[in-house]
Amino acid sequence: MEIFKSGRVYDFMGKRIPFLGLSALLVIASLVLLLSKGVNFGIDFAGGTIVQVKYEQKAPINDIRNTLKATQYKNASITEFGSPEEVVIRITGSSSDLANDIGDEMHVLLKSTGDFEVRRVDIVGPKVGGELREKGIMALSLSLIVILVYVSFRFEWRFAVASIFALAHDVIIALGAISLFQVEVNLDILAAILTILGYSLNDTIIVFDRIREGVNTSKEAELEKVVNDSVSKTLSRTTLTSLTTFFVVITLFLFGGEIIHGFAFTMLVGVVVGTYSSIFVAASFLVQLKFSIANFRAKEAEKVKRQKEKDKMRAMYEQGTV
Amino acid sequence: MKIFNYRLVIFILSIIFGVVFSVPSFLQTDSGKKISLGLDLQGGLHMRLGVKTDEAVTSKIKSIATSIKYFADDEDVLIEDLGIRDDSVVFTVLDGDEIPKVDKMLEQIKGLNIVKNDLDFRINLTEEEAARTKDLAVSQAVETIRNRLDQFGLSEPTVIRQGPTAIVVELPGIKTQEDEKAARELISKPANLELMAVDEERADQVYTLSKGAAAEYGDVILEDTKDPSIKYLVKEIPILNGSQVIDAQVAFDQSNQAIINFTLNSSGARIFGDFTAKSVGKRLAVVLDGKVYSAPNIRERIGGGSGQISGGFTTVEAGNVAIALRSGALPASVELLEKRSVGPSLGADSIKASTIALVSGFLIVFIFMIVYYRNAGIIANIALVTNIFIIISVMAMFGATLTLPGMAGIVLTVGMAVDANVIIGERIRELLKQGVSIPKSIEDGYANAMSAILDANITTLLVAVILYAYGTGPIKGFAVTISIGILASMLTAILGTHGIYEALLPKIQKDKNLRKWFGIK
């Protein structure tokens, strides 16, 4: 079985301007969303309290709301969680008192609303929330820097810059989707974003590796043609891997339960956008950055020459002629 | 014909390793190292506590004041106005000739800043000593909480220090709300026992005195534990504190009320004996965590160094207080910074959901690979299955914890581990289509694919390492499974499949059926 006809070269670079335009549009839309709507920080980053309650019958959300209205938790938000029996009560703020627990309190307060079980109580104090936010930003930026350094080291700086552009593209669009659907941003979402980073970089590097190989082995002088050839050759692989990952992530999304929903959603967006960007965007950036085949080859030739000279010197030295 | 090549041998060894060491985890056998389930999967309580280290400094100052008072009483050095002001002990020596004696005594206590102004002394801790005290308070709190939880009979509690002031407590397998509540109370109870002298001279003014006015006399006002309207005026500097308690047990008094008998160490016993001998007729307040439990009259000298706390405990309460006293007081109180508690039923649901996701995701990939690549797909699938076994084995060996994001990590590894085989497979197909011979296609296919696979894996690994370094709990679990998965896939998907091809090569060459073997015409 084959998805793409082998040997066929698609003219991706000829259409790079419309694709880059589409990407720019998506990125701008995402940024607008992020700035206007913002992201919905969950308690991991904002601090706060959530109590997850499961009723034996359909959860009486209105009863719960009315009951809590008369208490100090009148600002609590109550939402269905995964199934009609289950609700999550979100409370801004947290208590640092160890002995008096909000889970116990809810037991007493909600006694009249039916038979239920408190399944989860998460409390994140403001200090911890701030710390986690800081660490999250550190992790994200450190990842980008490490990737930049590694790719520069392995390839050429334009490859690194192009891959960072592509990564930023993916992450911003994923964040845009998170903002659009108001997915609660917790630690697991951060993990998802960092995974997208790694995943999309995987794709990009495999394409770049092919481009480098093409530049080194083919006689083609025009970068666009080399890129088209390389992207076309990796097309089966890119779509295949994306498909398998996509299948897996969609099963996580469908069957993974409510807790992993946000993670799976973010991954889903990331896989789709990451695949798109490694086919249409990353290499386009490389072309836009005016990567020069002639210079690259000259440098490679220079490297080979230097190596040869070194070897010659060594040979001479070993023979004792110097 | 050479069937066994070094790649295949290594691969077979890794299959054996993977299967053997994952058996205990899969079958949940009693022996052998098993992968442990994170709190989010088995249910339990995770807490991050902050130690209020400033309190430790205050209490250290208080204990220094206690020693000074005992020294003065013991050596008949007349001092007055002994008290605590802004974390400093202040007092005045009445007779200047006795200052060398006082100096000598103070010399024995390390880390003090002593400011003398004629006969007035002002003592506080040096900066290093204060820092040391704070540090000690945290490690002592860790020790104390661990002891208490051990005695409480919880299975495998984890108590570890995190950073300068925080402690992480993990209690897997807490089943009920009541258990959780009891554990939290046990952890949070300062269990700071103090025996304090009631200021009999001013006792009748207790209801009219303000806090500030009481402090002027070196007194504090404490409430009764059962009835807060009953107040006691006691000397601020305690006679004894809980650090001298070596044992505490629950007992019952004549009316069958639970009480706690405590035993003091030898120096405590001596101080207690001396004090009671001197204070017959006066009252002694038994204070636990700032509340007065009882204030009996001292009828005679109490030797032997034991006493009791009565105060209307229930048996369970008395038991917990006794545990707390035995394990020592918390040097400073703790506050809750973060808490995550997961009920066992939620954990079970999470396991179920993620197993379904894992199995179905796996099956889809499995079938897809066979349809697309035929025999090459089967070979890739063998590598994939081995990969999962190895992840489980390695995690079990290192005692790593499987969390919900860790499960997601495994699911994701399934998706990404076939990647290497897809890259190799595509390369081989490419070469075969160009008319290259089968053995050379396979060799070059692996060689050509290698740099891309390595670059891709190394970058993902780098991200995973960063995730591990900056992540907390569950995220760390995710990073761990991803990292192990990537490393394992190098072994299985690159080395292992190559070995299989090498072994099967004579057969493939004889067969020459590229459709059957690589899924192409």
Side-chain angles (χ1 to χ4, degrees), chain A residues 101 123 154 194 209 237 241, chain B residues 339 343 419 427 451 455 467:
Chain A
D101 188 66
I123 300 170
R154 289 282 299 168
L194 286 166
D209 184 74
R237 178 265 153 196
T241 309
Chain B
K339 173 190 145 162
D419 186 43
R427 286 285 189 160
S451 84
D455 279 338
L467 212 54

Side-chain angles (χ1 to χ4, degrees), chain A residues 63-80:
Chain A
D63 278 3
I64 302 172
R65 215 165 264 155
N66 289 333
T67 312
L68 289 183
K69 227 168 224 157
T71 69
Q72 53 165 318
Y73 302 116
K74 53 178 176 288
N75 293 324
S77 91
I78 295 125
T79 43
E80 193 182 298

Side-chain angles (χ1 to χ4, degrees), chain A residues 1-3 6 44 52 96 98-99 101 103-104 107 117 119-125 128 131-132 135 138-139 142-143 146 150 154-155 187 191 194-195 198-199 201-202 205-206 209-210 212-213 233 236-237 240-241 244-245 247-249 251-252 255-256 259-260 263 267, chain B residues 47-49 177 180-181 184 187-188 334-343 345-346 349 353 356-357 360-361 364-365 368 371-373 404 408 411-412 415-416 418-419 422-423 426-427 429-430 433 451-452 455-456 458-460 462-463 466-467 470 472 475 478 519-520:
Chain A
M1 192 180 139
E2 287 173 63
I3 300 180
S6 62
D44 286 352
Q52 187 180 333
S96 63
L98 196 55
D101 188 66
D104 300 339
H107 254 295
E117 171 198 6
R119 302 183 100 195
R120 180 161 67 113
V121 178
D122 284 359
I123 300 170
V124 179
V128 176
E131 201 184 300
L132 291 179
K135 275 189 166 182
M138 271 298 276
L142 212 62
S143 303
V146 166
Y150 183 80
R154 289 282 299 168
F155 294 82
L187 280 169
L194 286 166
T195 313
Y199 176 80
L201 186 70
N202 251 9
I205 280 189
I206 282 154
D209 184 74
R210 249 315 159 79
R212 185 175 54 181
E213 193 182 309
K233 272 184 179 155
S236 297
R237 178 265 153 196
L240 257 184
T241 309
T244 53
T245 313
F247 286 145
V248 170
V249 175
T251 54
L252 260 189
F255 308 118
I259 288 194
I260 212 137
F263 176 86
M267 282 296 303
Chain B
M47 287 188 295
R48 183 135 55 128
L49 309 172
Q177 199 94 20
E180 195 204 302
K181 193 175 160 73
R184 273 188 283 105
I187 292 170
S188 62
V334 291
E335 62 180 333
L336 187 67
L337 300 178
E338 184 187 356
K339 173 190 145 162
R340 296 176 194 268
S341 69
V342 177
S345 69
L346 182 63
D349 280 5
I356 292 174
S360 53
I364 293 172
V365 172
F368 186 80
V371 170
Y372 194 84
Y373 281 120
L404 194 55
V411 175
L412 214 60
M416 305 220 290
V418 290
D419 186 43
V422 170
I423 296 173
E426 289 300 305
R427 286 285 189 160
R429 276 185 169 188
E430 233 174 77
K433 279 177 195 155
S451 84
D455 279 338
I458 289 172
T459 41
T460 311
L462 286 174
V463 173
I466 293 171
L467 212 54
Y470 284 93
T472 55
I475 302 289
F478 178 75
I520 51 169

Side-chain angles (χ1 to χ4, degrees), chain A residues 1, chain B residues 373-375 513-521:
Chain A
M1 192 180 139
Chain B
Y373 281 120
R374 299 303 197 90
N375 283 2
N513 187 344
L514 295 185
R515 190 174 145 70
K516 177 173 141 200
W517 284 96
F518 298 101
I520 51 169
K521 276 170 248 149

